Amino acid sequence: MSQVIAIVNQKGGVAKTTTTVNLAAALVQQDERTLCVDLDPQANLTMSLGCQNPDELPYTIADVIDKVIAEKNIDPSEGIIHHAEGIDLMPSSIQLSGYDTLLINEYGRENMLRQYVDAARPFYDHILIDCQPSLNILTINALVAADSVLIPTQPQFFSAKGLELLFQTYSKVRRKMNPDLKIEGVLVTMMDKRPNFTKDVVDLIRSTYGRNVKVFDSEIPMSVRAIECGAEGKSIFAYDPKGKVAEAYANLAQEVIENAKREQRRAHKLQAVR
């Protein structure tokens, strides 16, 4: 049973792409077959995994959506880029930027990505979808295709307040389009313990949301090296394997794997009851 996680926050600059890359690398180190899907027209994930000219790629997620619209068969291996660290990537490009408008009049527009994800599921243990900083139709596609949502957030007051809008969108998608969608967890990123207010904001996040959803024990430290490794096309495990950021993402991967195991046990119990 594969696990599909949409990594979402409508606020930019909260380390969504950094989390996608490094969580994927940490999962691969645990022998978990992992695919990353770049659903952002800016293609930051694609570039962070070594493709510096994404607009020159012959096949991207935009071409996948074109095939779904045209009702053509999808080969989930077509266009996959194999990163040196063992991560598979379905890349993006600027071509995707017009799809908000393109999909408006398409029947079943919220399910375009789901058809690709469902085709890819048998080949992976984890599929991570990196979303753009917007709650638009592409992000809705990610939420419909996913089993769960991982929400990175900075330990800042307005970033924490912005989670409310995202939870509202999650609830609507769950009610109307994907009733099985769950919250994988809220992840505190870019953690700088020096300012006095940081602990207060983290405590606020844990007290406000922790009663209803998982807030990961792992917290990702602020680090220049985490930014640098993306420019090098590497994960933090290849760039600074003994650093605190690598340790934090390794711990996060372990939490994600444990979540997946719990869901598998729950699914098996439900099948046994039926």
Side-chain angles (χ1 to χ4, degrees), residues 21 25 28 45-51 80-89 229 232-235 238:
V21 170
V28 167
L45 175 63
T46 301
M47 290 185 284
S48 294
L49 286 171
C51 301
I80 291 291
I81 295 171
H82 305 287
H83 188 266
E85 294 180 52
I87 304 164
D88 279 1
L89 168 69
C229 67
E232 295 288 330
K234 301 176 181 178
S235 79

Side-chain angles (χ1 to χ4, degrees), residues 27-228:
L27 290 169
V28 167
Q29 289 194 345
Q30 296 295 318
D31 296 322
E32 301 282 308
R33 300 165 300 166
T34 304
L35 168 68
C36 291
V37 178
D38 192 347
L39 205 64
D40 186 346
Q42 296 182 70
N44 289 333
L45 175 63
T46 301
M47 290 185 284
S48 294
L49 286 171
C51 301
Q52 294 305 311
N53 298 299
D55 297 339
E56 297 177 8
L57 292 171
Y59 193 89
T60 68
I61 192 65
D63 297 289
V64 172
I65 294 174
D66 284 342
K67 282 194 169 185
V68 175
I69 292 172
E71 299 183 354
K72 294 181 178 178
N73 290 332
I74 297 170
D75 176 359
S77 66
E78 185 176 5
I80 291 291
I81 295 171
H82 305 287
H83 188 266
E85 294 180 52
I87 304 164
D88 279 1
L89 168 69
M90 171 49 68
S92 182
S93 70
I94 194 64
Q95 182 185 351
L96 194 63
S97 61
Y99 280 67
D100 253 359
T101 304
L102 178 67
L103 293 175
I104 286 175
N105 296 318
E106 286 295 328
Y107 178 76
R109 58 186 176 272
E110 300 91 355
N111 290 287
M112 298 295 171
L113 182 65
R114 187 174 198 164
Q115 294 186 49
Y116 171 72
V117 166
D118 286 349
R121 274 182 186 270
F123 305 99
Y124 297 98
D125 300 304
H126 305 273
I127 299 175
L128 308 181
I129 307 170
D130 186 28
C131 299
Q132 64 190 112
S134 173
L135 297 178
N136 59 11
I137 188 62
L138 290 174
T139 302
I140 299 300
N141 263 263
L143 295 176
V144 171
D147 301 316
S148 61
V149 187
L150 192 155
I151 307 168
T153 186
Q154 286 178 281
Q156 296 178 359
F157 178 75
F158 289 110
S159 184
K161 287 290 289 182
L163 293 176
E164 294 175 11
L165 178 59
L166 179 53
F167 280 119
Q168 289 173 13
T169 302
Y170 158 78
S171 296
K172 288 179 182 178
V173 170
R174 197 169 190 273
R175 285 197 308 271
K176 298 180 179 181
M177 289 172 272
N178 186 0
D180 296 323
L181 185 65
K182 297 175 178 63
I183 300 291
E184 186 73 20
V186 176
L187 174 69
V188 178
T189 62
M190 306 175 76
M191 181 75 172
D192 184 354
K193 294 183 179 180
R194 290 173 297 178
N196 292 330
F197 67 83
T198 300
K199 183 179 183 302
D200 294 336
V201 175
V202 173
D203 288 345
L204 175 66
I205 291 170
R206 292 191 180 279
S207 62
T208 303
Y209 301 106
R211 292 189 298 270
N212 300 313
V213 301
K214 179 180 177 65
V215 179
F216 287 105
D217 294 332
S218 306
E219 296 173 353
I220 311 302
M222 174 74 78
S223 170
V224 174
R225 290 182 177 274
I227 300 170
E228 291 174 344

